[in-house]
Amino acid sequence: ARGTADAAAVHLLDVASGRWNEGFARSALPGQPVVLVHLWQREQGLVVPRGNPKGVHGVADLARQRLAWRAPGTGSRLLLERLMLQEGTRPRPELGVQVDSHLAVATAVAAGTADAGLAVRAVAESLGLDWISVATEWFELAMARPTRAAAEPLLDTLASTQVQERLGRLPGYDLTMTGDVRSAG
């Protein structure tokens, strides 16, 4: 919207419509034709220590846990807050630790500075942690239609067999719609 980037990665659910990314892309680029380029679907879930010693089975069990939180405004933070509120649990980030990435969520759990956190399956498995699925989200690039050509080198790379095979080995990622383009308004 500020003109400092050609595209933005988004993974935000519009609860009212039940659709991923469209409403957010339209509101960020008002009055412009917007396209969404599908990169992948990915599973988000709760990362817990091996053996799940606190007995976390879902978001409702997070009320009394020390959580690893992503930064305010990130898609993963918004997802966790929404899921907690839906379960009647008040998000309390002040009782946990704020981290900068999915890997940092898993690292905080592995180190014992957090009892749980929301992250992708691949990071939990890479550190030998347990993981409980809570959502599958669409991860896409949003851009004004006239700048779509700027994404072509990335899309060509994503379509390559070598990259598809490598990404396809990541647990919790679905690439069946990678490269699909849809209008967001």
Side-chain angles (χ1 to χ4, degrees):
R2 291 188 302 256
T4 58
D6 292 321
V10 291
H11 54 105
L12 300 167
L13 177 65
D14 179 352
V15 177
S17 71
R19 299 192 53 93
W20 287 94
N21 306 318
E22 292 175 11
F24 297 98
R26 279 193 310 270
S27 67
L29 299 166
Q32 297 183 52
V34 178
V35 295
L36 293 163
V37 179
H38 194 86
L39 298 179
W40 46 72
Q41 290 181 58
R42 67 181 189 179
E43 292 179 277
Q44 288 261 38
L46 302 177
V47 178
V48 296
R50 174 67 64 199
N52 195 3
K54 301 274 186 165
V56 173
H57 298 289
V59 175
D61 298 324
L62 298 178
R64 293 184 178 86
Q65 308 300 324
R66 295 172 304 138
L67 300 180
W69 291 91
R70 296 295 308 280
T74 60
S76 295
R77 169 78 171 256
L78 294 170
L79 174 61
L80 180 56
E81 289 174 342
R82 179 178 54 80
L83 292 172
M84 290 179 79
L85 291 170
Q86 285 176 341
E87 291 292 336
T89 300
R90 185 173 71 115
R92 300 197 51 185
E94 68 277 5
L95 300 179
V97 59
Q98 184 172 306
V99 297
D100 293 330
S101 67
H102 288 263
L103 182 58
V105 168
T107 301
V109 171
T113 57
D115 299 320
L118 183 76
V120 294
R121 178 189 296 255
V123 298
E125 289 188 11
S126 73
L127 295 182
L129 301 168
D130 286 353
W131 187 86
I132 301 139
S133 180
V134 297
T136 299
E137 61 185 7
W138 288 26
F139 200 94
E140 297 176 304
L141 289 178
M143 65 192 76
R145 188 179 311 276
T147 63
R148 185 183 180 285
E152 287 303 322
L154 172 63
L155 297 176
D156 290 344
T157 300
L158 285 172
S160 77
T161 303
Q162 182 180 10
V163 171
Q164 286 283 309
E165 287 174 358
R166 214 166 160 191
L167 289 173
R169 287 193 298 267
L170 287 173
Y173 283 79
D174 178 349
L175 306 174
T176 56
M177 294 175 19
T178 298
D180 288 0
V181 178
R182 61 194 176 103
S183 176

